[in-house]
Amino acid sequence: MIGKYDEYERMYNAEREMWWYRVLHQKVTAHITKHFPNRKDISILDAGCGTGGMLMHLRIAGFTHIEGFDFSEDGVAFSKSRGLTVIHHDLAQISDYWPDKKFDVIICNDVFTYFSDEVIVKIQQGVRAKLKPGGIFITNNNAHEAFAGTHDIVVGGQKRFVLKDLQQLSGRAGLSVAYSTYWSFLLSPLIMAVRAWQRFQLQRGWVDLSSRASDVAVPPFFINIPLYWLVKAEEAVLSRAPFGSSLFTVMRPVAEEK
């Protein structure tokens, strides 16, 4: 998605209100709070922070030591416009990000799709080296090829994941999946139907991808709010959903799991 200013602008405009972003940001914050109860002074890095929506949510939640980086100059500019501490940096070189600095929490949401397996392992090795003792790595990623559609093509996504994929890749990097869940389980039939229709249109050559935008946009209020509460209800009932368009994981260094 690097170089697509219009997509970063869409993300920037959607992150505060769109149901999907709201749920994701709350999931991340809930797990940070679970692992570090009554702590707002922990150090948090958002690696691949996009336009800064996750960091903004953390700041509003009261966390005081937050920072991030992104490889997109557009993403960095949008993040800085929010008053956030964000710089330009390559995720594949995370080990070189302030080499002497370590973090209690590292977040990396929805960026693995842009990298090969070997680079993902390298990224996670860098993450492991930059975690403080007792630290956690939180990463959300797009799941299951059944949900692939024009959105993936427009943003430049190369792959989707299942839990086994991330377990294998993280294991090679010295990380262990401590918690995982798919989500948007209740919305799966609807999302699959929309994406299947998109793939059908692509096969028939009915879509002009040069003018097509991603699915990142705030739906009308009467759609956005019910979708949000439906996914929140799912979250309340299912601590671990068996299927969904996204895969949320919390990881820890393997040595700390023993």
Side-chain angles (χ1 to χ4, degrees):
M1 201 170 79
I2 303 298
K4 294 189 175 183
Y5 177 87
D6 56 333
E7 286 298 331
Y8 281 94
E9 185 175 36
R10 289 168 67 85
M11 184 192 303
Y12 176 81
N13 291 330
E15 283 184 301
R16 291 290 297 274
E17 301 296 333
M18 185 181 175
W19 65 272
W20 188 89
Y21 282 115
R22 290 181 64 197
V23 174
L24 174 59
H25 295 166
Q26 290 167 10
K27 277 181 177 292
V28 172
T29 305
H31 280 272
I32 292 175
T33 302
K34 178 181 178 181
H35 284 272
F36 298 97
N38 304 314
R39 293 276 311 275
K40 298 293 186 181
D41 60 339
I42 56 172
S43 55
I44 303 174
L45 171 68
D46 190 349
C49 63
T51 62
M54 182 73 250
L55 288 170
M56 190 71 179
H57 179 83
L58 291 169
R59 185 168 73 183
I60 293 171
F63 292 95
T64 54
H65 293 82
I66 58 173
E67 60 190 87
F69 66 78
D70 200 88
F71 193 61
S72 164
E73 295 285 6
D74 294 324
V76 172
F78 277 118
S79 294
K80 286 186 174 181
S81 74
R82 301 183 194 262
L84 297 166
T85 303
V86 172
I87 67 169
H88 178 266
H89 191 76
D90 185 354
L91 180 60
Q93 306 299 326
I94 187 172
S95 297
D96 298 332
Y97 177 81
W98 300 111
D100 297 330
K101 201 168 188 177
K102 295 196 175 188
F103 299 87
D104 295 297
V105 180
I106 298 177
I107 303 164
C108 188
N109 285 335
D110 296 287
V111 293
F112 282 179
T113 185
Y114 303 116
F115 298 101
S116 67
D117 287 354
E118 292 305 316
V119 175
I120 293 172
V121 171
K122 179 183 176 182
I123 291 168
Q124 291 188 109
Q125 288 172 335
V127 166
R128 187 183 189 281
K130 295 196 75 64
L131 283 175
K132 293 180 180 179
I136 58 173
F137 174 47
I138 299 176
T139 178
N140 187 79
N141 291 281
N142 49 349
H144 293 292
E145 288 299 327
F147 294 102
T150 55
H151 172 84
D152 300 66
I153 298 172
V154 169
V155 302
Q158 300 178 23
K159 65 182 77 177
R160 285 178 167 263
F161 301 86
V162 295
L163 179 57
K164 185 178 179 180
D165 297 330
L166 292 187
Q167 288 174 327
Q168 292 176 341
L169 293 170
S170 63
R172 290 168 57 187
L175 293 169
S176 175
V177 177
Y179 171 83
S180 67
T181 184
Y182 293 100
W183 60 285
S184 295
F185 173 63
L186 297 177
L187 288 173
S188 291
L190 174 60
I191 299 172
M192 288 179 68
V194 170
R195 298 293 171 78
W197 172 241
Q198 291 176 350
R199 292 195 301 272
F200 179 79
Q201 290 177 300
L202 284 168
Q203 292 168 0
R204 295 297 186 274
W206 296 348
V207 178
D208 179 8
L209 287 173
S210 65
S211 60
R212 193 66 176 258
S214 71
D215 295 345
V216 176
V218 182
F221 179 84
F222 63 88
I223 296 176
N224 191 47
I225 298 304
L227 290 179
Y228 169 79
W229 284 112
L230 181 63
V231 179
K232 292 299 288 184
E234 167 189 313
E235 193 174 67
V237 174
L238 298 173
S239 61
R240 285 182 169 85
F243 189 68
S245 59
S246 292
L247 175 57
F248 181 91
T249 56
V250 179
M251 304 183 190
R252 307 189 73 163
V254 171
E256 295 184 14
E257 293 291 304
K258 295 179 181 179

Short mmCIF file of all heavy atoms in Angstrom, two decimals, residues 223-248:
data_model
loop_
_atom_site.label_atom_id
_atom_site.label_comp_id
_atom_site.label_asym_id
_atom_site.label_seq_id
_atom_site.Cartn_x
_atom_site.Cartn_y
_atom_site.Cartn_z
N ILE A 223 -25.74 1.29 9.84
CA ILE A 223 -25.05 0.03 9.55
C ILE A 223 -23.83 -0.12 10.46
O ILE A 223 -23.58 -1.18 11.03
CB ILE A 223 -24.62 -0.04 8.07
CG1 ILE A 223 -25.85 -0.05 7.16
CG2 ILE A 223 -23.75 -1.28 7.82
CD1 ILE A 223 -25.51 -0.03 5.68
N ASN A 224 -23.06 0.95 10.60
CA ASN A 224 -21.81 0.92 11.35
C ASN A 224 -22.02 0.53 12.81
O ASN A 224 -21.30 -0.34 13.34
CB ASN A 224 -21.14 2.30 11.27
CG ASN A 224 -19.73 2.30 11.80
OD1 ASN A 224 -18.93 1.43 11.48
ND2 ASN A 224 -19.41 3.29 12.62
N ILE A 225 -23.01 1.13 13.48
CA ILE A 225 -23.24 0.85 14.90
C ILE A 225 -23.72 -0.58 15.14
O ILE A 225 -23.18 -1.28 16.02
CB ILE A 225 -24.21 1.88 15.51
CG1 ILE A 225 -23.61 3.29 15.42
CG2 ILE A 225 -24.54 1.53 16.96
CD1 ILE A 225 -22.25 3.44 16.08
N PRO A 226 -24.69 -1.11 14.39
CA PRO A 226 -25.08 -2.50 14.58
C PRO A 226 -23.94 -3.49 14.32
O PRO A 226 -23.82 -4.49 15.04
CB PRO A 226 -26.22 -2.70 13.57
CG PRO A 226 -26.81 -1.33 13.42
CD PRO A 226 -25.63 -0.40 13.48
N LEU A 227 -23.10 -3.22 13.31
CA LEU A 227 -21.97 -4.10 13.05
C LEU A 227 -21.01 -4.11 14.23
O LEU A 227 -20.51 -5.17 14.64
CB LEU A 227 -21.23 -3.66 11.78
CG LEU A 227 -21.95 -3.87 10.45
CD1 LEU A 227 -21.09 -3.36 9.30
CD2 LEU A 227 -22.31 -5.33 10.24
N TYR A 228 -20.76 -2.95 14.80
CA TYR A 228 -19.89 -2.85 15.96
C TYR A 228 -20.43 -3.68 17.12
O TYR A 228 -19.70 -4.49 17.71
CB TYR A 228 -19.73 -1.39 16.38
CG TYR A 228 -19.05 -1.21 17.71
CD1 TYR A 228 -17.67 -1.30 17.83
CD2 TYR A 228 -19.80 -0.95 18.86
CE1 TYR A 228 -17.05 -1.14 19.06
CE2 TYR A 228 -19.18 -0.79 20.10
CZ TYR A 228 -17.82 -0.88 20.19
OH TYR A 228 -17.20 -0.74 21.41
N TRP A 229 -21.71 -3.51 17.43
CA TRP A 229 -22.27 -4.22 18.58
C TRP A 229 -22.42 -5.70 18.32
O TRP A 229 -22.33 -6.52 19.26
CB TRP A 229 -23.59 -3.59 19.00
CG TRP A 229 -23.38 -2.29 19.73
CD1 TRP A 229 -23.71 -1.04 19.31
CD2 TRP A 229 -22.75 -2.14 21.01
NE1 TRP A 229 -23.32 -0.11 20.24
CE2 TRP A 229 -22.73 -0.76 21.30
CE3 TRP A 229 -22.20 -3.03 21.93
CZ2 TRP A 229 -22.19 -0.25 22.46
CZ3 TRP A 229 -21.66 -2.52 23.10
CH2 TRP A 229 -21.66 -1.15 23.36
N LEU A 230 -22.60 -6.09 17.08
CA LEU A 230 -22.67 -7.52 16.76
C LEU A 230 -21.33 -8.18 17.04
O LEU A 230 -21.27 -9.27 17.65
CB LEU A 230 -23.06 -7.71 15.29
CG LEU A 230 -23.19 -9.17 14.83
CD1 LEU A 230 -24.32 -9.87 15.58
CD2 LEU A 230 -23.45 -9.22 13.32
N VAL A 231 -20.24 -7.54 16.62
CA VAL A 231 -18.91 -8.11 16.85
C VAL A 231 -18.55 -8.06 18.34
O VAL A 231 -17.92 -8.98 18.86
CB VAL A 231 -17.85 -7.39 16.00
CG1 VAL A 231 -16.47 -7.97 16.26
CG2 VAL A 231 -18.18 -7.50 14.52
N LYS A 232 -18.97 -7.02 19.04
CA LYS A 232 -18.73 -6.96 20.48
C LYS A 232 -19.50 -8.06 21.21
O LYS A 232 -19.00 -8.63 22.19
CB LYS A 232 -19.12 -5.58 21.03
CG LYS A 232 -18.24 -4.44 20.55
CD LYS A 232 -16.78 -4.61 20.95
CE LYS A 232 -16.55 -4.40 22.42
NZ LYS A 232 -15.11 -4.47 22.78
N ALA A 233 -20.70 -8.37 20.75
CA ALA A 233 -21.48 -9.46 21.35
C ALA A 233 -20.79 -10.79 21.11
O ALA A 233 -20.72 -11.64 22.01
CB ALA A 233 -22.90 -9.48 20.76
N GLU A 234 -20.26 -10.96 19.92
CA GLU A 234 -19.50 -12.17 19.60
C GLU A 234 -18.32 -12.30 20.55
O GLU A 234 -18.05 -13.38 21.09
CB GLU A 234 -19.01 -12.08 18.16
CG GLU A 234 -17.95 -13.11 17.78
CD GLU A 234 -17.36 -12.82 16.40
OE1 GLU A 234 -18.14 -12.57 15.46
OE2 GLU A 234 -16.12 -12.82 16.28
N GLU A 235 -17.63 -11.21 20.78
CA GLU A 235 -16.47 -11.18 21.66
C GLU A 235 -16.84 -11.57 23.09
O GLU A 235 -16.09 -12.26 23.78
CB GLU A 235 -15.87 -9.78 21.62
CG GLU A 235 -14.50 -9.63 22.20
CD GLU A 235 -13.96 -8.23 21.97
OE1 GLU A 235 -14.52 -7.27 22.54
OE2 GLU A 235 -13.02 -8.07 21.19
N ALA A 236 -18.01 -11.12 23.53
CA ALA A 236 -18.45 -11.41 24.90
C ALA A 236 -18.82 -12.88 25.08
O ALA A 236 -18.63 -13.44 26.16
CB ALA A 236 -19.65 -10.53 25.25
N VAL A 237 -19.32 -13.49 24.04
CA VAL A 237 -19.79 -14.88 24.12
C VAL A 237 -18.67 -15.87 23.80
O VAL A 237 -18.57 -16.93 24.43
CB VAL A 237 -20.99 -15.09 23.17
CG1 VAL A 237 -21.39 -16.57 23.14
CG2 VAL A 237 -22.16 -14.22 23.59
N LEU A 238 -17.83 -15.53 22.82
CA LEU A 238 -16.78 -16.45 22.37
C LEU A 238 -15.41 -15.88 22.70
O LEU A 238 -14.97 -14.91 22.08
CB LEU A 238 -16.89 -16.67 20.85
CG LEU A 238 -18.18 -17.31 20.33
CD1 LEU A 238 -18.18 -17.29 18.80
CD2 LEU A 238 -18.30 -18.74 20.84
N SER A 239 -14.74 -16.45 23.66
CA SER A 239 -13.39 -15.96 23.98
C SER A 239 -12.41 -16.32 22.88
O SER A 239 -11.40 -15.64 22.67
CB SER A 239 -12.91 -16.56 25.31
OG SER A 239 -12.84 -17.98 25.23
N ARG A 240 -12.73 -17.40 22.15
CA ARG A 240 -11.92 -17.82 21.00
C ARG A 240 -12.87 -18.30 19.91
O ARG A 240 -13.47 -19.37 20.04
CB ARG A 240 -10.96 -18.94 21.38
CG ARG A 240 -9.74 -18.49 22.18
CD ARG A 240 -8.84 -19.67 22.47
NE ARG A 240 -7.54 -19.27 23.00
CZ ARG A 240 -7.30 -19.05 24.27
NH1 ARG A 240 -8.27 -19.19 25.15
NH2 ARG A 240 -6.10 -18.70 24.68
N ALA A 241 -13.01 -17.51 18.86
CA ALA A 241 -13.90 -17.89 17.76
C ALA A 241 -13.15 -18.82 16.81
O ALA A 241 -11.95 -18.69 16.59
CB ALA A 241 -14.37 -16.65 17.02
N PRO A 242 -13.85 -19.79 16.20
CA PRO A 242 -13.21 -20.80 15.36
C PRO A 242 -12.94 -20.35 13.93
O PRO A 242 -12.24 -21.05 13.18
CB PRO A 242 -14.22 -21.94 15.37
CG PRO A 242 -15.55 -21.25 15.50
CD PRO A 242 -15.29 -20.08 16.41
N PHE A 243 -13.48 -19.20 13.52
CA PHE A 243 -13.39 -18.79 12.13
C PHE A 243 -13.65 -17.30 12.04
O PHE A 243 -14.33 -16.72 12.89
CB PHE A 243 -14.44 -19.55 11.30
CG PHE A 243 -14.31 -19.39 9.81
CD1 PHE A 243 -13.24 -19.93 9.12
CD2 PHE A 243 -15.29 -18.71 9.10
CE1 PHE A 243 -13.13 -19.79 7.74
CE2 PHE A 243 -15.20 -18.57 7.72
CZ PHE A 243 -14.11 -19.11 7.05
N GLY A 244 -13.10 -16.66 11.03
CA GLY A 244 -13.34 -15.23 10.85
C GLY A 244 -12.39 -14.65 9.84
O GLY A 244 -11.44 -15.31 9.39
N SER A 245 -12.61 -13.41 9.47
CA SER A 245 -11.80 -12.77 8.43
C SER A 245 -10.50 -12.19 8.97
O SER A 245 -9.63 -11.81 8.20
CB SER A 245 -12.61 -11.66 7.75
OG SER A 245 -13.02 -10.68 8.70
N SER A 246 -10.37 -12.12 10.29
CA SER A 246 -9.14 -11.63 10.93
C SER A 246 -8.66 -12.62 11.98
O SER A 246 -9.47 -13.34 12.58
CB SER A 246 -9.37 -10.26 11.58
OG SER A 246 -9.61 -9.26 10.62
N LEU A 247 -7.36 -12.64 12.19
CA LEU A 247 -6.76 -13.52 13.20
C LEU A 247 -5.94 -12.66 14.16
O LEU A 247 -4.96 -12.03 13.77
CB LEU A 247 -5.86 -14.55 12.51
CG LEU A 247 -5.04 -15.48 13.41
CD1 LEU A 247 -5.94 -16.25 14.38
CD2 LEU A 247 -4.21 -16.45 12.56
N PHE A 248 -6.37 -12.65 15.42
CA PHE A 248 -5.74 -11.84 16.47
C PHE A 248 -4.90 -12.75 17.35
O PHE A 248 -5.38 -13.78 17.84
CB PHE A 248 -6.83 -11.17 17.29
CG PHE A 248 -6.33 -10.29 18.40
CD1 PHE A 248 -6.09 -8.95 18.18
CD2 PHE A 248 -6.10 -10.80 19.67
CE1 PHE A 248 -5.64 -8.12 19.20
CE2 PHE A 248 -5.65 -10.00 20.70
CZ PHE A 248 -5.42 -8.65 20.47
#
